[in-house]
Amino acid sequence: MKTLLHRIVLILTVILIAAAAGGAPVVATVDQVQPKVVKVYGAGGVQGMANYQSGIVISATGHVLTTFSHVLDTDYIDVVLSDGRKFSAKLLGADPRLEVAVLKIDATGLPWFDLAKATDAEAGTRILCFSNIFSVAMGDEQASVQRGTVAVRTRLEARRGVFETPYRGPVYVLDVTTNNPGAAGGALVSFRGELLGVLGKELRNSLNNTWLNYAVPISELRESVEEILAGKFVARRDAPEKKPERPLNLAALGIVLVPDMLERTPPYVDRVQPASVAAKAGMQPDDLILLCGDRLTQSCKALQAELQGLDYEDPVKLTVLRGQQLIEFTLQSVGPATSKKGQP
Amino acid sequence: MNAGRGDQSHLVRTLRERPAHGCCRTLVCGLAMGIIACLAAARQAAADDTAAEEQAAFAAAVARVAPSVVQIETVGGKEQVEGVLLGTGPTTGLIVDSDGYIISSAFNFIGKPASIVVRLPGGTRKAARLVATDHARMLVLLKIDAGRPLPTCAIAARAGMHVGQWAIAVGRTFQGDRPNMAVGVLSALDRVWGRAIQTDAAVSPNNYGGPLVDIHGRVMGVLAPLSPQAGEVAGVDLYDSGIGFAVPAEDIQRVLPRLKKGEDLQPGLAGMSIKGANQFTAPPIVAACRTNSPAAVAGIKVGDRIVELGGRAITRAIQIRDEFGRRYSGDKVSITVVRDNKETRSELQLVATLEPFQHGFLGVLPMRGDAEKGVAVRYVYPKSPAAAAGIVADDILTSLGGEPVRERGELIQAIGMFEPGSEVELGVLRGDARRTVKVTLGTIPEELPPDELPAAWQQSQASATKTTQGRGQAGTPGQQFGAMRLKIAEYDNKVWAYVPAGYDPARAYGVVVWLHAPGGYDWKELLARWQPLCDRHDLILVAPKSSEAARWMPEEAGLVDRLLMHVGATYHIDPARVVVHGYEGGGAMAFLTAFRNRQMIRAVAAVQATPVGAAPENDPLHRLAVYLAAGDKTLADGPIGKAAAAMRRMKIPVTTKSLGQGTRYLNADELSQLARWIDMLDRI
């Protein structure tokens, strides 16, 4: 609870600073953006799961772009416009891979964001975020505005388990604490009011145990949203991870690692089998295998997992630390003698 | 080198000039409506320009340092330190020397990784070694062999920094080859004992070790989690809170030669303490000075008023902390003191560790009544310095070093300030005969108490107060006697207490806080055990129940503090005999509570419990004594024995009581013995 309070105080501070630092363009932008931001209510409200989030109007006729989340997991979704008008919403469609959904409400003549006019931003772009964080705004109260900067445009680390989201594409990381309950689906805009992205969910970075504040660029969502609007959306699946038929392993290379005793045992070489590929290449006991290809291997398990993704006959680049030297080896398993097939 | 303010006013100026141009043009048009419209448009355009220019300036500033900001990857090491889960993700470093020296935050290495790899901008990886650690500012110096000169950054002068100027925090922890940035302003200078500057830019593991740069891309400092609290992970809980710290780049440059030589830097200690509870208002007068400490070697004496330190005029105690706080072990500091209206100037060289302080000991128990002539002797420890000097029970100690002593607490503190081996001169009154004796002080004994103790009150005195005061007539609001319930606002815990039914406001009562083992306790049983002891030894028993029956939460140490304050405000308390007593988990909690509240708690009595946390420093002003009862084996070489040895190394007296084979609580005899041990805590 303490951290929640922390965060609320922080957000309020940020809002105050934003107000103070705003100036003319920010004020004009806020006036122009607020009518296009909505509050979305749906499922949740138990076990600390919020039953609210945010959305943005993307057509004059009541199409609302929001985040695909548990909040939409109900037949009763409500959308409350910035003027306080409340509508029941229908879920038109969603792309779970991008965690994006489109809702439809029976309204016309709404101010709206034209996704076709959305632009891109780079690190350093000054931004405003509009969302209903912590459900502070009620009825005709407008979304909370936060001010910040794009910290970096990056990709979410593709390694499994780092981020709990199916999305693996580019994101804007923000330098302001935006991604709190209710923020998902909110608008990320430039100081001039150009739409840049949609605020994401709460996401923890398991690499350094921090919360990630991010938004997904509109350019990543546009195609799916247009297909949903046109009624032509077909859920895509990520190409299934290619599992090699005969995955590579350490034994095939002649490498024996130290016993794997810890959660993250550093992958030190214990022994190199005589006359093996590794021995011929010059690998030695006590070498620490740091990289497999270009991927850091922080543990025996991580190294084994990397090799699993390679085929038996693929060459593999291993970089080892020996003393203070980084040494690169490219190894290619000859395959076990017994499985040499296709002999004429 | 004149960064900061100048640059920003320049920015502001260009922004102001632009709308003025717009105005001129519209005035030529001469249309009133047009003027208004154009003015508005111009203002909008100008503001747009402001944002655009600032944005461009941020990007340019980051671009200037980016070639020197590296990514650091580690393999191996601990997964958790001080309860904080360590990440495995990449962290950031800053190249500070073209030869391949890189500064980073020590937080990134507290897991003691087996190997460190630096990824230079562009993607080249190099093996790195840790050259040295700055334990005061929580930084590390790494070295790589890049085979080519590496780019370094311009530094912003500390003198040119102003609160409110732009500050951009730069890291390199995300996927891809771009640095990440966070924009804010400088929030404060001279934070954390003068060791850091503060910013509201988002500072977190995403950029610890990276630079904090000004709008021109000059490095103002290196980002690191810092906190006035000690500990390797202190300050991490502040991440993304609007409070971020950076160690000034100038300070880093100053110590870089020492770090490059592989010297680990420690905070510098002088070994003296200052009088007064409030450091912000207290005058800078020396209250204690450790033997063999830098202060003692420099000739500083108790009572000296410090008027200058490291070239800075000193008027308040807090300035002393700041001056020493920014310095390292090995640093030399000039010091000027005033003694007897004469100024003396000397120099002291700070050290990393002080020899632990040990309280001097005379070897007597005092009577607790306020004798007019001095402090009456209740009991003389056999073979003690007092016994050797021929002091016997009923003697009255009238003076110490020629100064009259009036009161027991005063004498406890004054003798305690001397270390063992010091010779003191005591005035002794026996009957009508006055004499002066010289006593060489010893150490506080660790033995268990004798079977019998003489009364702490003279018969005549006790009966006199009894008849005049009587029970329950003191008139302090909220005073009750006998068994009772206590309630502390903000805490839901149930608390029972016992105040001797014959409470006499003229007497000072010891306090025993009982912290039960997991599962709670039965008040009737507890009262039956303690009531006779409380009555005999003038003790108040306070027994809170943990909010979760199965365990004590560390936050509940605050409840003990509050209970002690409440009891202290309601009854006449003897500050020398405030004890926290616990069994099993309650014992561990007792240590936690006592180590935190050195101001009030004088002793820990733990049964079958392992002390938690590091043994605290012994403190001249706040004595701490420890009683440990446990089974033979654990006392000998188990964790309890180890903890006892660690506390003894810190010169905290530890009395041990063997409970044989068992893992049980104290029996009736053992508990009476503990009560006598508590009775003897006002020993001098």
Side-chain angles (χ1 to χ4, degrees), chain B residues 339-358:
Chain B
R339 187 185 311 148
D340 304 330
N341 295 320
K342 266 199 301 200
E343 273 197 11
T344 320
R345 193 162 194 281
S346 51
E347 187 179 66
L348 45 83
Q349 186 168 20
L350 303 179
V351 293
T353 49
L354 296 168
E355 288 176 33
F357 176 83
Q358 190 164 23

Side-chain angles (χ1 to χ4, degrees), chain A residues 281-340:
Chain A
M283 274 181 93
Q284 295 176 7
D286 290 340
D287 283 351
L288 174 63
I289 303 176
L290 276 180
L291 301 165
C292 178
D294 202 38
R295 301 284 282 274
L296 192 69
T297 50
Q298 287 178 309
S299 65
C300 294
K301 292 181 193 74
L303 174 59
Q304 278 149 359
E306 288 293 334
L307 294 179
Q308 292 264 307
L310 296 171
D311 192 86
Y312 223 90
E313 283 159 5
D314 288 346
V316 56
K317 191 176 84 179
L318 296 179
T319 306
V320 307
L321 181 69
R322 183 181 299 164
Q324 283 299 299
Q325 290 296 310
L326 287 179
I327 307 168
E328 230 174 67
F329 296 100
T330 303
L331 306 179
Q332 187 160 18
S333 166
V334 288
T338 50
S339 69
K340 270 188 188 164

Side-chain angles (χ1 to χ4, degrees), chain B residues 277-303:
Chain B
N278 186 344
Q279 297 188 72
F280 298 94
T281 53
I285 294 170
V286 177
C289 198
R290 299 274 197 91
T291 318
N292 296 332
S293 68
V297 171
I300 307 298
K301 299 256 184 309
V302 171

Side-chain angles (χ1 to χ4, degrees), chain A residues 47-287:
Chain A
Q47 292 182 334
M49 307 265 274
N51 64 343
Y52 54 90
Q53 60 185 32
S54 307
I56 53 183
V57 182
I58 53 167
S59 81
T61 51
H63 290 93
V64 172
L65 176 63
T66 188
T67 298
F68 185 58
S69 76
H70 69 273
V71 175
L72 307 185
D73 195 11
T74 168
D75 292 336
Y76 306 97
I77 302 168
D78 286 333
V79 165
V80 176
L81 301 180
S82 66
D83 59 13
R85 278 186 292 160
K86 182 175 169 182
F87 294 88
S88 291
K90 197 176 126 222
L91 179 62
L92 264 196
D95 186 342
R97 197 177 48 106
L98 300 176
E99 296 199 309
V100 65
V102 178
L103 307 176
K104 176 73 174 74
I105 59 172
D106 274 334
T108 50
L110 301 177
W112 56 290
F113 275 117
D114 186 351
L115 293 193
K117 288 183 186 162
T119 60
D120 280 323
E122 282 304 327
T125 302
R126 308 194 74 187
I127 48 93
L128 299 173
C129 300
F130 294 73
S131 76
N132 191 17
I133 25 170
F134 290 115
S135 193
V136 176
M138 310 279 242
D140 66 349
E141 289 176 52
Q142 315 246 302
S144 299
V145 183
Q146 292 176 276
R147 177 216 56 168
T149 309
V150 174
V152 65
R153 186 186 161 116
T154 182
R155 290 181 156 279
L156 292 183
E157 173 72 46
R159 251 191 294 161
R160 201 156 290 285
V162 172
F163 296 105
E164 281 182 358
T165 167
Y167 183 65
R168 288 287 177 266
V171 292
Y172 297 124
V173 176
L174 309 174
D175 74 345
V176 46
T177 314
T178 46
N179 294 46
N180 269 315
L188 176 78
V189 305
S190 70
F191 267 24
R192 289 168 182 266
E194 300 146 317
L195 184 64
L196 303 172
V198 175
L199 293 176
K201 296 177 178 174
E202 288 174 90
L203 210 52
R204 209 168 163 80
N205 180 351
S206 72
L207 289 178
N208 62 13
N209 304 309
T210 57
W211 292 95
L212 186 73
N213 300 299
Y214 76 102
V216 180
I218 295 294
S219 49
E220 297 300 313
L221 309 175
R222 202 180 276 133
E223 197 183 339
S224 280
V225 171
E226 279 167 2
E227 285 177 14
I228 293 170
L229 290 174
K232 287 190 284 192
F233 179 75
V234 182
R236 292 175 190 77
R237 280 177 190 279
D238 282 326
E241 276 180 54
K242 263 191 278 171
K243 285 249 166 97
E245 264 179 50
R246 296 184 308 160
L248 185 59
N249 59 39
L250 286 162
L253 301 170
I255 298 169
V256 179
L257 296 179
V258 293
D260 191 3
M261 309 285 280
L262 309 167
E263 183 62 31
R264 297 198 299 257
T265 312
Y268 281 103
V269 175
D270 196 28
R271 285 197 319 277
V272 179
Q273 302 290 7
S276 67
V277 181
K280 281 178 192 154
M283 274 181 93
Q284 295 176 7
D286 290 340
D287 283 351

Side-chain angles (χ1 to χ4, degrees), chain B residues 131-133 141 257-264:
Chain B
V131 179
T133 303
L141 185 69
R258 285 171 75 177
L259 290 172
K260 279 183 185 171
K261 279 188 226 147
E263 186 184 346
D264 284 342

